[in-house]
Amino acid sequence: MVHLVRVATCALNQWALDFEGNLRRIKQSIHEAKDAGATLRVGPELEITGYGCLDHFLENEVYENSWDSLESILTDESLHGIVIDVGLPILHRNCRYNARAIVLDGKILCFRPKLYLANDGNFREMRFFTPWKAPRHVEQYYLPPRIQKLQGSRQVPIGDVVLSTIDTCLAAETCEELFTPNSPHIQMGLNGVEIFTNSSGSHHSLRKLDERIALISEATRKNGGVYLYSNQIGCDGDRLYYDGCAMIFVNGHLVGQSSQFSLNEVEVIVATVDLEEVRSARFAPARGQQAVQAEEYQRIEVDFSLTSGDDDLLDTPTPARPPRYHLPEEEIALGPACWLWDYLRRSGLAGFQLPLSGGIDSCATATIVYSMCRLAVAAAKEGNEQVIKDMKRIAKYTSELPDTPEGLCNQIMHTVYLGMEVQSSKETRQRAKDLAARIGAYHNDVNIDGMFHSAKDILTQATGFTPQFRVHGGSNTQNLALQNIQARSRMVLTYLFAQQLSEIRERPGGGGLLVLGSSNVDECLRGYLTKYDCSSADINPIGSISKVDLIRFIAWSAKNFDMPILEDFITAVPTAELEPITADYVQSDEADMGFTYVELSKFGLLRKVHKLGPYGTFLRLLGEWKDERTPREVADKTKRFFHYFQINRNKQTVSTPAYHAESYSPDDHRFDLRPFVYPPAFQSWSYKKIDERVEALEARAKKS
């Protein structure tokens, strides 16, 4: 016997507090699900408000507005005939809950509040919400008066419930609950739940999709079941890019997957599943023994059938398919590009301004913008109405929409090479010019010597002292001060160009430009940047990406974007070019830092991901580097890293908002919360323990 059900999940590009836009996208997804014959539709976590409202979730107005949206869904008869799982915040007994409303034919069947809140990394849900009391706990929710009239009752159930339809049993878990050791779906499955829904607000991190897919697959592999995963997609107003990838699994096998990176506002995935396959998968006597011992869930009876009355219309179950993964290089090409497009179109500004140095970091930022233009032009050619609408507002220099990435790039991307006559090499200047020409950017090339000397002369006028570069006999302090004048002058000039270029180019309606930063995660970690230099910008698409990954991304782009000019950036020695070039000296980033970029990535992972302090890091590296360095050399590297990390931590308190991509990002604003005034590292107890261990190891080595 065959029991076929057509189910739908979706990825929506929601925007925090955009109630009208969010509601429009929710309704569109429901209509598309219905048109495809689905009888169940699942949406992202907190989709009515957008996930990233942050402290706005403390405002009662947000909850009132959410009820306006839910009422619109309840009263829209075109949305009847399908079970709707929609995410929203609710107030219950003066507590705030991250909840799901399960709706059918204009009636609320129940509210399902989140049991286990996400409260690490970028997530702060316990700042806004209260976790639900306990698994399987259910009580009554008192509806607002206006909803009571629609509902025909004053109350609906709220809690950890399951729903029994005429033909199956379904239940919900929310995002973080899937990632907990004792996930709700385990006991739900033992209680006979056959269809699980998961509304999520999961953001992109490099190389993390396989972990998410493994967890969802495992959720139904041992216990059987249909699992519908929904997620936001896009930038909903801050540093995170929600990477979609809505999925449907049956007994651990993937049968549907949406895009991970896309400019689409709504993506609906539909699959036909056979409930008999779930029932067959649960035949094992050992599972039955656990099922009869499981604690019961309160069931809500729903007079509705998910299966079709005519199975022939549903044809056959959707076949399994392999997951779609992107290479890390592709993730960098696509994720930040989609994030930039959302940020640009939603900010209402006219384009981007980038100080293009001729080095690989600003090269990577420019290439990501070019990738964004490729995606936008392709989407417009495919008839994406929202992209076309946004492009018409942004690309105003021509009456027709740009039909090439280079054409769009010329209208929105502005680059400037801010050089010095002595410090800047002709190679970096030429690379910047050639790259700008290849992607179609509007490019300027200027020297800033006049501004540099004017700033330096002010100190001389005030004190009678003239600082000198180190190569001219100056001290390290003088050398650094002169470098910082250049770096900070470039920031000021970049913002000047950003404010004036639209007027200079006679853009209809004028408009300002978003300034892009190009500091990478490893240099931020080490503090190898000048405070308020060109790392200070409006947004930074590479601020949470390692130098090692950026080099791989550029190599990938050179081939896949047909940009041979990028090869020159890969082979160039990374340099800030803030000191004069002489016959026997050219500034090198790795030499200045005292670390390779590979080493900085290792320290970053040990510090953040593995949660190790100086002594713990030293012990770990003793084993990993035993064939490369002596214990004293390992100790020296470790102590110098933590010393520089700590004395430069203040720089992260004012760092430019950056696209979140790397698990060891030092972003101080939300992800990596640390002090910015530390006790002297070389006098710390951890360093004393390192020294003691080194001395003991060296003494042992002498005896042997």
Side-chain angles (χ1 to χ4, degrees):
M1 187 175 181
V2 178
H3 289 86
L4 297 178
V5 178
R6 185 158 287 179
V7 293
T9 184
C10 62
L12 304 183
N13 193 328
Q14 304 299 71
W15 189 8
L17 303 176
D18 180 22
F19 288 95
E20 290 183 307
N22 292 345
L23 179 62
R24 172 177 54 80
R25 288 180 283 270
I26 290 169
K27 288 188 174 184
Q28 180 182 336
S29 71
I30 298 170
H31 284 137
E32 290 185 17
K34 282 190 65 179
D35 291 344
T39 52
L40 170 63
R41 174 268 184 197
V42 184
E45 185 174 10
L46 296 167
E47 59 186 308
I48 282 179
T49 58
Y51 183 83
C53 293
L54 303 173
D55 277 1
H56 289 291
F57 283 125
L58 302 176
E59 302 166 3
N60 286 348
E61 182 177 322
V62 169
Y63 297 80
E64 184 70 18
N65 292 346
S66 296
W67 274 111
D68 293 338
S69 297
L70 185 58
E71 182 179 10
S72 178
I73 293 171
L74 294 172
T75 55
D76 188 340
E77 293 187 4
S78 70
L79 307 180
H80 290 188
I82 184 172
V83 176
I84 302 168
D85 182 339
V86 62
L88 77 165
I90 61 172
L91 287 167
H92 176 58
R93 296 186 176 179
N94 297 324
C95 293
R96 295 172 173 83
Y97 291 100
N98 176 347
R100 316 261 290 282
I102 312 299
V103 172
L104 174 64
D105 293 340
K107 305 294 183 183
I108 301 170
L109 300 177
C110 67
F111 287 111
R112 202 290 191 173
K114 194 171 183 178
L115 290 166
Y116 309 116
L117 300 180
N119 210 60
D120 61 344
N122 286 298
F123 300 105
R124 294 288 181 273
E125 289 183 10
M126 292 190 73
R127 182 180 173 97
F128 330 117
F129 300 119
T130 302
W132 187 241
K133 298 177 181 180
R136 296 176 298 282
H137 177 78
V138 183
E139 55 193 53
Q140 292 300 306
Y141 180 90
Y142 286 85
L143 296 167
R146 56 176 167 152
I147 305 299
Q148 292 178 20
K149 296 178 182 179
L150 296 174
Q151 188 75 14
S153 64
R154 295 178 61 194
Q155 304 169 332
V156 294
I158 179 172
D160 188 20
V161 298
V162 302
L163 289 83
S164 289
T165 64
I166 294 172
D167 47 3
T168 187
C169 183
L170 61 97
E173 64 179 6
T174 305
C175 196
E176 178 75 4
E177 295 171 356
L178 169 67
F179 299 88
T180 58
N182 188 18
S183 298
H185 68 258
I186 298 172
Q187 291 299 315
M188 290 173 175
L190 292 174
N191 271 267
V193 172
E194 295 178 333
I195 300 176
F196 307 93
T197 65
N198 186 309
S199 295
S200 186
S202 294
H203 62 77
H204 173 238
S205 291
L206 285 171
R207 304 176 178 87
K208 295 298 182 183
L209 180 60
D210 59 333
E211 295 182 16
R212 190 186 307 166
I213 288 179
L215 283 167
I216 300 173
S217 175
E218 190 62 24
T220 58
R221 188 180 302 279
K222 288 196 299 184
N223 204 6
V226 178
Y227 203 100
L228 283 75
Y229 172 85
S230 177
N231 192 20
Q232 278 194 191
I233 190 168
C235 166
D236 81 340
D238 65 4
R239 298 164 177 79
L240 307 181
Y241 177 81
Y242 299 90
D243 57 341
C245 215
M247 292 175 281
I248 302 173
F249 281 81
V250 179
N251 297 339
H253 300 290
L254 179 70
V255 298
Q257 179 182 4
S258 72
S259 302
Q260 186 179 11
F261 308 105
S262 172
L263 300 188
N264 294 328
E265 289 212 310
V266 176
E267 289 196 4
V268 176
I269 298 298
V270 178
T272 302
V273 300
D274 185 359
L275 295 180
E276 287 300 311
E277 292 185 11
V278 175
R279 294 157 188 168
S280 297
R282 293 177 170 178
F283 78 96
R287 180 201 171 275
Q289 286 179 287
Q290 292 187 346
V292 296
Q293 297 172 13
E295 296 187 48
E296 291 187 22
Y297 279 76
Q298 180 172 325
R299 294 197 174 208
I300 297 175
E301 299 297 329
V302 182
D303 189 20
F304 182 76
S305 177
L306 294 185
T307 56
S308 170
D310 186 350
D311 287 337
D312 292 337
L313 293 177
L314 293 176
D315 199 11
T316 59
T318 303
R321 47 161 289 184
R324 169 71 169 98
Y325 296 105
H326 292 283
L327 295 171
E329 296 85 350
E330 290 180 289
E331 292 185 68
I332 296 171
L334 299 172
C338 293
W339 181 74
L340 283 177
W341 178 254
D342 277 346
Y343 204 105
L344 176 61
R345 70 191 183 97
R346 287 172 168 168
S347 70
L349 294 177
F352 300 116
Q353 176 69 58
L354 172 69
L356 192 58
S357 69
I360 202 161
D361 292 329
S362 60
C363 163
T365 297
T367 304
I368 288 171
V369 173
Y370 179 68
S371 176
M372 182 203 79
C373 293
R374 286 169 54 95
L375 292 172
V377 169
K381 289 181 177 179
E382 292 170 0
N384 187 312
E385 294 180 4
Q386 186 62 50
V387 171
I388 292 172
K389 178 181 177 182
D390 292 327
M391 198 182 293
K392 286 180 178 178
R393 182 198 68 78
I394 297 168
K396 287 189 172 181
Y397 288 105
T398 56
S399 58
E400 300 294 326
L401 289 181
D403 60 359
T404 66
E406 292 80 7
L408 178 58
C409 211
N410 181 260
Q411 297 210 36
I412 67 173
M413 182 59 168
H414 304 74
T415 57
V416 58
Y417 182 86
L418 300 166
M420 293 279 289
E421 291 182 3
V422 178
Q423 282 87 313
S424 302
S425 67
K426 63 180 181 181
E427 290 82 7
T428 57
R429 193 182 296 268
Q430 189 62 46
R431 283 199 300 270
K433 180 181 178 180
D434 292 344
L435 176 60
R438 170 61 185 84
I439 67 175
Y442 181 88
H443 185 65
N444 284 284
D445 183 330
V446 297
N447 284 329
I448 65 170
D449 296 73
M451 188 172 185
F452 167 76
H453 289 297
S454 295
K456 184 184 68 170
D457 289 346
I458 291 174
L459 179 68
T460 303
Q461 293 172 19
T463 66
F465 178 79
T466 301
Q468 300 291 333
F469 283 106
R470 184 168 46 201
V471 296
H472 299 150
S475 66
N476 287 334
T477 300
Q478 296 173 45
N479 192 61
L480 186 59
L482 292 178
Q483 292 183 63
N484 288 344
I485 293 174
Q486 299 168 70
R488 290 178 175 131
S489 297
R490 286 172 175 146
M491 184 271 289
V492 173
L493 290 171
T494 300
Y495 271 95
L496 177 61
F497 276 83
Q499 289 178 309
Q500 289 296 304
L501 280 182
S502 291
E503 183 177 356
I504 292 169
R505 295 185 68 187
E506 298 182 347
R507 181 180 186 270
L513 305 175
L514 284 164
V515 174
L516 299 179
S518 296
S519 54
N520 63 66
V521 69
D522 300 315
E523 290 168 355
C524 291
L525 190 67
R526 164 62 173 75
Y528 186 69
L529 51 88
T530 300
K531 205 171 184 179
Y532 306 119
D533 66 352
C534 285
S535 66
S536 296
D538 294 319
I539 51 175
N540 182 355
I542 69 166
S544 183
I545 303 175
S546 75
K547 190 83 157 193
V548 174
D549 280 335
L550 288 175
I551 293 172
R552 291 171 179 162
F553 159 64
I554 291 301
W556 179 89
S557 300
K559 177 181 178 181
N560 289 274
F561 292 167
D562 188 25
M563 296 174 64
I565 177 61
L566 297 181
E567 298 289 348
D568 295 338
F569 289 85
I570 297 171
T571 57
V573 176
T575 173
E577 289 195 339
L578 293 171
E579 296 182 73
I581 299 172
T582 66
D584 55 359
Y585 178 75
V586 176
Q587 190 175 18
S588 164
D589 290 348
E590 290 187 329
D592 277 1
M593 291 189 297
F595 299 91
T596 67
Y597 287 104
V598 173
E599 289 170 345
L600 287 173
S601 292
K602 170 60 69 174
F603 279 114
L605 287 168
L606 293 177
R607 179 199 68 92
K608 177 66 177 177
V609 178
H610 296 280
K611 303 174 179 63
L612 297 177
Y615 186 61
T617 298
F618 167 70
L619 294 179
R620 181 71 64 87
L621 292 177
L622 272 179
E624 295 189 16
W625 288 354
K626 63 182 180 181
D627 297 328
E628 305 168 31
R629 293 180 176 86
T630 66
R632 188 164 293 278
E633 290 172 337
V634 174
D636 180 60
K637 280 276 185 185
T638 302
K639 290 194 292 185
R640 285 193 295 114
F641 168 77
F642 280 97
H643 166 71
Y644 285 115
F645 166 76
Q646 291 177 9
I647 66 172
N648 288 306
R649 184 63 189 176
N650 66 92
K651 296 179 181 179
Q652 286 306 302
T653 65
V654 295
S655 63
T656 295
Y659 178 96
H660 178 84
E662 186 54 74
S663 57
Y664 67 87
S665 168
D667 170 29
D668 186 71
H669 301 287
R670 189 196 309 171
F671 183 70
D672 188 46
L673 306 182
R674 315 268 172 162
F676 56 88
V677 179
Y678 281 87
F682 283 96
Q683 299 173 27
S684 68
W685 183 246
S686 294
Y687 279 31
K688 290 177 182 177
K689 292 175 69 174
I690 291 174
D691 292 338
E692 290 172 359
R693 178 58 68 95
V694 170
E695 290 170 2
L697 290 171
E698 289 178 341
R700 181 186 301 175
K702 288 181 180 179
K703 290 180 180 179
S704 62

